[in-house]
Amino acid sequence: RKRNYVARVPLHLGIERRRFRAAIEDNFRPFLQLTGGPTVGYQWPYFDDLNGDGIRDDGEDLEGAFGAFGSGELRVGLGGTLAVGAYFGFGRRTTQGLRIGYHAAYFFEPVDLLEADPRVADPSKQFFGTPLVSLHLLRLW
């Protein structure tokens, strides 16, 4: 069961490189994207842990999504994204794009997402990875 909420804010710089410019028409512009940099995380309690054991017992109420936000802890780490995608369309003022990739983050201190439970080998994690799909709607200047 859940022990903490966690929010991540990646502060990344990267490159996006258009590929196959000479071989493909301008209405389809594939690209490769690589980003990296620091990632800041913030974890705050999911429930009011009165006895401090990290397990929700009877009588320990759930906090709202931002109920105990002020009693959280900062986590610092590194992260990055590797993705491929394409911009498509003929517009000179707007364009659309699709990006598919993988985002990963590593925190120097463990993030405690789950309650301590004998069925879960390690409820604290330092590495988080997730696939990503994003749709881009852009206005060109």
Side-chain angles (χ1 to χ4, degrees):
R1 298 184 309 185
K2 186 179 275 197
R3 181 174 175 185
N4 289 300
Y5 293 102
V6 176
R8 290 186 305 157
V9 178
L11 305 168
H12 296 173
L13 294 175
I15 59 171
E16 185 175 288
R17 176 76 185 219
R18 184 171 172 190
R19 306 303 300 163
F20 313 115
R21 182 184 306 250
I24 298 178
E25 295 293 323
D26 279 344
N27 65 341
F28 182 75
R29 298 170 301 282
F31 63 85
L32 178 65
Q33 183 182 63
L34 178 65
T35 69
T39 298
V40 177
Y42 187 74
Q43 75 174 20
W44 66 99
Y46 183 71
F47 59 90
D48 187 14
D49 192 8
L50 298 174
N51 60 5
D53 65 353
I55 298 173
R56 184 172 175 235
D57 301 312
D58 292 334
E60 294 180 335
D61 295 328
L62 291 176
E63 298 285 355
F66 296 102
F69 189 79
S71 61
E73 299 174 350
L74 198 64
R75 296 289 189 259
V76 178
L78 297 172
T81 299
L82 177 62
V84 296
Y87 294 110
F88 45 88
F90 282 109
R92 292 192 176 276
R93 305 288 284 165
T94 61
T95 189
Q96 305 76 235
L98 179 68
R99 178 180 65 153
I100 300 170
Y102 186 78
H103 176 79
Y106 176 82
F107 291 97
F108 303 124
E109 291 183 52
V111 175
D112 303 316
L113 285 178
L114 303 174
E115 291 181 1
D117 185 330
R119 296 171 293 177
V120 178
D122 186 10
S124 298
K125 298 282 184 201
Q126 288 181 278
F127 177 81
F128 296 87
T130 185
L132 63 89
V133 176
S134 63
L135 178 64
H136 298 232
L137 303 171
L138 304 169
R139 178 158 177 86
L140 304 174
W141 296 83

